[in-house]
Amino acid sequence: MTSQTMSNTPTPDQIRRAPKVLLHDHLDGGLRPGTIVELAREQGYSRLPETGPDKLGIWFREAADSGSLERYLETFSHTVGVMQTRDALVRVARECAEDLAEDGVVYAEVRYAPEQHLEGGLTLEEVVEAVNEGFREGERLARANGHRIRVGALLTAMRHAARALEIAELANRYRDLGVVGFDIAGAEAGYPPTRHLDAFEYLKRENNHFTIHAGEAFGLPSIWQALQWCGADRLGHGVRIIDDIQVRADGSVKLGRLASYVRDKRIPLELCPSSNLQTGAASSYSEHPIGLLRRLHFRATVNTDNRLMSGTSMSREFEHLVEAFGYSLDDMQWFSVNAMKSAFIPFDERLAMINDVIKPGYAELKSEWLFQQTASTSDSPAREG
Ligand SMILES: O=c1[nH]cnc2c1ncn2[C@H]1C[C@H](O)[C@@H](CO)O1
Ligand SMILES: [Zn+2]
């Protein structure tokens, strides 16, 4: 038996085929560049910085590579700019579900801010219904191509605006109709989550679920507010929890009160490594706090945030982590089960996804080396000596 066959390091092909769970992906951050070009042409949107798909894709990645969340967010004006009609929203959502399924994602919660898609005259309800329709079409098309995926929507309110309660009510109205929860996003510094307490209190009274972008561009106070004032079920990013973890020279680790709380309560962290590198929240994959957080058994999950702006996918994120930390298929399974446990769909459905889809998927991949061994042994009996 060679070390090659025993190696538990997944190949890029195995990473792609492994069942993955995505909790933090923005609909308006994941358009195909070719789709943006076509939608802009159809709608007479003339402000695109490039008109060829390849160059446009590169433009988004470079413009988002700014080291600042505020500048990173400016790039969204062009994606949101072409997502103002019903047809455009259906198409973008359909392609999102298809692309995720093609990449081996079996369950995804995809978020967007309905209030940003009203410039063409759609109502908030029409926006939600168009996106839901696109997700359902994408699920069907993926299935026809041999991929199974389930996509739930999270409705985001923009933290600098003042529509959070209205969007929370919208999320509640479309609960069990394709919408699984609520989020707030946008520039973090200067816009603490407590500005939207009324929305969070409303959702709690309704027994609904929400996540909050916190601890990305701003540190511990933002995480503390999101959890202890607002009652968030999950943290969007939450990567700055690392500021409350002290690693001593001898390698021992001391958690502060907030980091302990996050770990003890199993608060899910929606970590987005590539996005963090672009906005300056981390300096390299190997220095990304996900390595330590995984070792310390935080409820860490791996996410894309914005596939277009980061030129990434779930598989790419895992490829980077496999390279940086030597992760195995067992680690990938651990992240995927963590994410599935943290999803906003009902417990019995989460459990069935874990037991009937995720674990069997990894078991199948982990057993592949056995069959490769049999094939090579029978191919070359002389090697057995
Ligand atoms: O990483 C992020 N942090 C804060 N806000 C973000 C991030 N990625 C996207 N957004 C914003 C820009 C989008 O227009 C909005 C809704 O998806 O959410
Ligand atoms: Zn985000």
Side-chain angles (χ1 to χ4, degrees):
M1 199 177 296
T2 65
S3 58
Q4 182 70 35
T5 51
M6 280 295 286
S7 165
N8 206 6
T9 303
T11 63
D13 177 58
Q14 286 178 318
I15 292 174
R16 191 184 50 77
R17 286 185 292 129
K20 294 173 287 294
V21 177
L22 173 53
L23 299 179
H24 190 133
D25 186 82
H26 292 259
L27 185 67
D28 51 330
L31 283 75
R32 298 174 186 170
T35 297
I36 304 175
V37 169
E38 284 178 29
L39 290 175
R41 200 181 303 130
E42 279 166 31
Q43 298 173 15
Y45 178 90
S46 57
R47 291 191 294 279
L48 285 189
E50 295 286 349
T51 49
D54 292 344
K55 282 193 171 161
L56 185 62
I58 293 168
W59 181 88
F60 272 105
R61 288 200 293 282
E62 289 181 350
D65 236 348
S66 58
S68 125
L69 177 60
E70 284 73 12
R71 290 221 297 283
Y72 175 92
L73 292 176
E74 285 169 16
T75 62
F76 286 79
S77 64
H78 299 298
T79 53
V80 169
V82 298
M83 293 169 70
Q84 299 298 334
T85 66
R86 202 193 102 79
D87 287 354
L89 288 168
V90 173
R91 173 173 175 179
V92 168
R94 179 180 65 232
E95 292 179 352
C96 168
E98 286 187 278
D99 291 351
L100 295 179
E102 180 73 32
D103 189 43
V105 174
V106 291
Y107 177 82
E109 290 179 2
V110 178
R111 62 191 75 193
Y112 63 98
E115 68 199 65
Q116 299 193 123
H117 303 278
L118 307 177
E119 282 166 24
L122 295 175
T123 63
L124 290 171
E125 287 77 8
E126 284 167 339
V127 171
V128 173
E129 285 168 26
V131 172
N132 282 349
E133 189 178 320
F135 285 151
R136 299 295 81 75
E137 277 182 22
E139 288 169 342
R140 272 196 300 277
L141 288 167
R143 201 177 179 86
N145 280 324
H147 299 291
R148 294 193 299 180
I149 185 167
R150 193 166 152 186
V151 182
L154 298 179
L155 301 191
T156 293
M158 299 308 291
R159 53 203 312 158
H160 59 267
R163 300 186 79 157
L165 180 57
E166 197 183 349
I167 303 303
E169 286 168 351
L170 188 69
N172 209 46
R173 217 170 316 138
Y174 282 89
R175 199 172 174 187
D176 304 319
L177 296 170
V179 174
V180 298
F182 175 81
D183 163 55
I184 59 166
E188 191 173 3
Y191 299 101
T194 42
R195 282 187 85 220
H196 306 289
L197 259 188
D198 53 350
F200 303 124
E201 284 172 357
Y202 164 79
L203 288 167
K204 279 192 274 184
R205 283 199 304 276
E206 295 294 333
N207 305 302
N208 213 328
H209 309 286
F210 57 94
T211 175
I212 295 180
H213 275 76
E216 177 189 19
F218 206 66
L220 298 176
S222 180
I223 295 178
W224 175 73
Q225 278 197 12
L227 296 177
Q228 312 303 14
W229 282 83
C230 307
D233 297 290
R234 306 195 307 232
L235 293 170
H237 294 280
V239 62
R240 300 287 4 136
I241 196 64
I242 199 77
D243 297 347
D244 201 33
I245 303 176
Q246 190 195 340
V247 182
R248 301 196 189 93
D250 65 358
S252 64
V253 174
K254 181 164 167 30
L255 304 192
R257 292 258 191 253
L258 183 60
S260 289
Y261 182 91
V262 168
R263 186 170 72 162
D264 293 345
K265 289 281 202 176
R266 317 305 300 136
I267 307 284
L269 303 172
E270 303 164 0
L271 300 168
C272 310
S274 292
S275 168
N276 290 163
L277 263 54
Q278 289 181 294
T279 62
S283 46
S284 69
Y285 290 103
S286 55
E287 290 164 286
H288 193 281
I290 194 168
L292 181 63
L293 295 168
R294 190 261 174 275
R295 268 208 326 274
L296 297 176
H297 289 270
F298 278 76
R299 176 70 75 80
T301 69
V302 175
N303 300 275
T304 48
D305 208 11
N306 297 293
R307 287 169 288 121
L308 170 68
M309 286 72 181
S310 297
T312 196
S313 64
M314 276 300 269
S315 293
R316 289 289 297 148
E317 292 303 302
F318 275 112
E319 280 173 30
H320 288 303
L321 298 178
V322 164
E323 193 184 328
F325 301 109
Y327 285 153
S328 63
L329 283 168
D330 287 326
D331 294 297
M332 280 190 72
Q333 175 173 325
W334 182 84
F335 282 114
S336 306
V337 168
N338 266 356
M340 202 63 239
K341 284 180 179 168
S342 313
F344 288 159
I345 55 171
F347 173 73
D348 54 344
E349 297 174 24
R350 282 183 266 153
L351 205 60
M353 286 292 280
I354 291 170
N355 290 329
D356 303 339
V357 178
I358 296 170
K359 288 187 174 171
Y362 282 91
E364 164 116 21
L365 288 168
K366 281 190 274 182
S367 64
E368 278 179 351
W369 69 275
L370 285 166
F371 299 95
Q372 284 163 9
Q373 174 79 359
T374 309
S376 65
T377 306
S378 63
D379 284 351
S380 51
R383 288 225 324 248
E384 284 207 23

